[in-house]
Amino acid sequence: MKNKKGNINYMNAFIRLRTISSSIFLLLIFLLLNSPLFTQQNDESSRRDTIKYGTESEIANLIQTLRTENIDYLDDELMVLIQTSRNMRILTSVFGFFGDREKKGLEDRAVKAITEREDETNETVLSAIDYLGRVKYPEAVPVLKELLNTEERRFLANGFRAIGRAGSADPDMADEAAEFLVDYYTYRNPGSDNQSIIITAIGDSGSLLGIPFLTGIATNTNERIPLRTAALAALSKTGDESSLEAILSCVSTNDPNVRSAAVAALGPFSGELVDSAILDAFRDSYYRTRIAAAQASRDRRLEAAVPFLRFRAERDEVANVKDESIRALGAIANSEAIDVLDNLFSERRNSNQVRILAGEMLMKIDAAKFFSKIVIELNEAKNGNQTNLYNGFLKAVGEAVVDGDTTEVERVASGFMLNGAIVERLYGLDMAANNNLKGLSGQIISLARDRNETLSRRARRAAETLGIEIPDV
């Protein structure tokens, strides 16, 4: 009887031991499956499976996520997918994703979509046309000419835009594209909606062969205003001195839209006449002309414009004029311009937008000099619950690239990563990657294991940039 009872106790203990072991095993499996390393690996594997086997909606949603996260590690898989797919939504999504980044690799597939367009949807062909233009693929010029010669109106606008951009990468193809576009405009009927598109495309090509045609339109007072302004913008893109006289002649025209377009077109040019025309444009009562003057001053780094830019940044009644004046001061960046920006930033009675933009310019000019000053204002904005101002300064600090001593940058980045909200931690990681802050490896490794996928992924990217190895858990 005693032995029988002992056996029962032994069996009960064994059962309890098995139950405990199973629980521990299940707990270990749970922890493994929920570890950041496993989650990230599983996430990447899942994304690759989506590309291989997913529906059009699933793939399109994935591409939108890749856009948002600004990552490209699945580009090769997408290239493979697009070679055989004829699904409209997949093709347009991939062409758009690559085209927005001007990423090459899909040229042959895009050409095939155009030359075999009877087997493709209109949306696919249009996205292929746009892609070839965005990546400036010169070999596409003959293909696009053939397409435009069919005069299929559904493809004209996109075709005109693409052929100019595609030709710009090669001088011979640029000339061929410009000649074709001028001939099309002159002797065919592209439609009034396409005329300004053709004019812009001639400028995009960069060919000098289009200058006589463009100057003729720009200086023709009987021509429609939108076409004249388009021609002036196109002449500016060529940047050739032979077009300067025509542009200057439009600076004093009666129409304010043509005036502003002419001033904006002066950016690539130089000389006393150009300087005088830009400075005089700051006095124009039409706000777009003042904006154009600021932009031209920025493009030319026109130091003589600094007093005008200071006046506009401080007193102009139009916010966009102030913004463009501050950006111009940032581009000129001589000692006088820097002093103006410093005063605009430091004056707390100025609008948030003025202070934020001035701070961004100062950080781009000399982040080492102004970093601590902007951090002080960042903390002041936080203590005062000035959310918009804080977020603006946070962006300037988070994007800083400091030459020289990075002690203060490391202190701020470490604080962001240890105690900040998600956005602050992301900026802290960017600061570490951009300023080679290898001393923050502990915080970076910790964030690489965070449950937040965006944070974890950004931390791993920072670790890769800095050469930091993340140990397996």
Side-chain angles (χ1 to χ4, degrees):
M1 184 74 180
K2 186 175 181 181
N3 290 339
K4 185 176 181 181
K5 184 176 180 181
N7 289 337
I8 292 173
N9 291 335
Y10 176 80
M11 290 298 296
N12 288 337
F14 178 75
I15 291 170
R16 284 198 300 273
L17 180 62
R18 284 189 60 186
T19 302
I20 293 171
S21 299
S22 298
S23 299
I24 293 173
F25 177 75
L26 291 173
L27 177 62
L28 290 173
I29 292 296
F30 175 80
L31 292 174
L32 173 63
L33 293 178
N34 287 275
S35 72
L37 177 61
F38 181 86
T39 300
Q40 169 138 353
Q41 291 174 341
N42 189 54
D43 180 52
E44 293 185 4
S45 176
S46 174
R47 289 179 171 185
R48 288 189 165 88
D49 285 344
T50 296
I51 294 174
K52 290 179 182 178
Y53 314 115
T55 66
E56 58 180 25
S57 297
E58 291 167 342
I59 292 172
N61 291 336
L62 171 59
I63 290 174
Q64 186 55 49
T65 300
L66 298 177
R67 285 178 188 270
T68 302
E69 296 178 358
N70 191 29
I71 54 180
D72 59 5
Y73 69 88
L74 294 175
D75 281 359
D76 289 343
E77 284 84 350
L78 291 172
M79 286 183 187
V80 172
L81 169 67
I82 204 175
Q83 298 307 320
T84 56
S85 176
R86 288 194 180 275
N87 183 286
M88 180 273 290
R89 193 172 181 191
I90 292 174
L91 290 167
T92 56
S93 296
V94 177
F95 278 136
F97 180 49
F98 277 59
D100 288 345
R101 295 174 295 145
E102 299 181 6
K103 177 70 177 286
K104 296 181 183 288
L106 307 180
E107 293 89 338
D108 290 343
R109 183 64 182 92
V111 168
K112 181 180 179 182
I114 296 171
T115 56
E116 300 179 8
R117 54 189 174 277
E118 66 277 1
D119 298 325
E120 306 281 5
T121 65
N122 285 346
E123 291 83 357
T124 296
V125 177
L126 291 171
S127 64
I129 293 170
D130 292 342
Y131 172 77
L132 292 172
R134 287 180 178 274
V135 298
K136 299 178 181 178
Y137 184 54
E139 289 84 349
V141 170
V143 177
L144 293 169
K145 282 174 61 178
E146 183 272 330
L147 175 68
L148 291 167
N149 277 328
T150 66
E151 300 190 9
E152 294 182 68
R153 302 199 72 82
R154 54 185 174 157
F155 299 134
L156 289 184
N158 297 70
F160 291 139
R161 292 189 188 96
I163 195 171
R165 294 171 180 167
S168 66
D170 178 86
D172 292 334
M173 288 295 102
D175 288 345
E176 184 174 336
E179 285 184 315
F180 175 81
L181 290 167
V182 170
D183 180 85
Y184 206 113
Y185 186 104
T186 306
Y187 300 109
R188 304 199 200 183
N189 180 27
S192 58
D193 292 341
N194 287 323
Q195 286 179 315
S196 62
I197 294 175
I198 292 176
I199 291 170
T200 300
I202 293 171
D204 287 338
S205 74
S207 171
L208 303 186
L209 296 182
I211 289 178
F213 170 79
L214 295 173
T215 55
I217 293 176
T219 57
N220 184 356
T221 56
N222 294 321
E223 188 59 88
R224 289 190 293 136
I225 298 303
L227 299 184
R228 294 184 68 189
T229 58
L232 287 164
L235 288 170
S236 180
K237 290 176 183 176
T238 66
D240 190 74
E241 291 292 325
S242 62
S243 62
L244 179 57
E245 183 179 351
I247 296 173
L248 287 171
S249 72
C250 295
V251 169
S252 57
T253 190
N254 290 330
D255 187 273
N257 292 295
V258 176
R259 275 202 316 273
S260 62
V263 174
L266 291 173
F269 301 95
S270 60
E272 291 184 10
L273 290 176
V274 176
D275 292 352
S276 177
I278 293 173
L279 296 179
D280 196 47
F282 281 107
R283 308 179 191 277
D284 199 300
S285 59
Y286 185 51
Y287 78 98
R288 290 190 183 278
T289 304
R290 301 197 299 278
I291 289 176
Q295 292 171 338
S297 300
R298 177 199 65 204
D299 293 343
R300 297 199 55 239
R301 309 290 197 272
L302 183 58
E303 294 187 2
V306 170
F308 292 88
L309 294 166
R310 176 187 60 78
F311 189 91
R312 289 295 135 209
E314 292 175 348
R315 304 191 191 184
D316 205 284
E317 68 272 16
V318 178
N320 285 343
V321 177
K322 289 186 175 184
D323 291 351
E324 291 302 327
S325 297
I326 293 171
R327 291 188 180 98
L329 288 165
I332 295 169
N334 64 357
S335 59
E336 185 183 4
I338 293 172
D339 286 343
V340 174
L341 290 169
D342 195 1
N343 290 331
L344 291 170
F345 167 76
S346 301
E347 178 52 70
R348 292 178 178 175
R349 289 175 295 181
N350 284 334
S351 69
N352 288 351
Q353 176 63 11
V354 166
R355 298 190 67 204
I356 291 168
L357 194 52
E360 289 179 3
M361 295 301 105
L362 291 172
M363 291 294 269
K364 289 179 180 178
I365 293 169
D366 192 345
K369 180 178 179 180
F370 293 102
F371 184 86
S372 296
K373 187 170 188 176
I374 294 181
V375 169
I376 291 172
E377 296 301 318
L378 172 76
N379 293 329
E380 183 70 22
K382 184 175 184 178
N383 294 334
N385 293 319
Q386 296 172 284
T387 304
N388 291 336
L389 189 62
Y390 177 78
N391 289 336
F393 288 158
L394 178 62
K395 180 176 182 291
V397 169
E399 295 177 351
V401 179
V402 175
D403 293 328
D405 186 4
T406 57
T407 303
E408 178 68 0
V409 183
E410 185 166 331
R411 183 189 70 79
V412 173
S414 178
F416 284 166
M417 285 191 274
L418 289 173
N419 306 310
I422 294 293
V423 174
E424 292 165 327
R425 291 182 179 187
L426 290 171
Y427 274 127
L429 290 166
D430 289 344
M431 293 168 71
N434 294 338
N435 294 279
N436 198 33
L437 305 180
K438 295 183 179 180
L440 299 179
S441 59
Q443 290 97 311
I444 294 171
I445 292 172
S446 176
L447 291 178
R449 294 169 176 160
D450 197 275
R451 292 184 180 278
N452 183 289
E453 290 183 12
T454 301
L455 199 55
S456 174
R457 190 173 292 110
R458 186 77 64 89
R460 290 177 179 278
R461 196 183 309 166
E464 182 180 355
T465 299
L466 296 172
I468 296 172
E469 184 176 349
I470 299 176
D472 294 337
V473 179

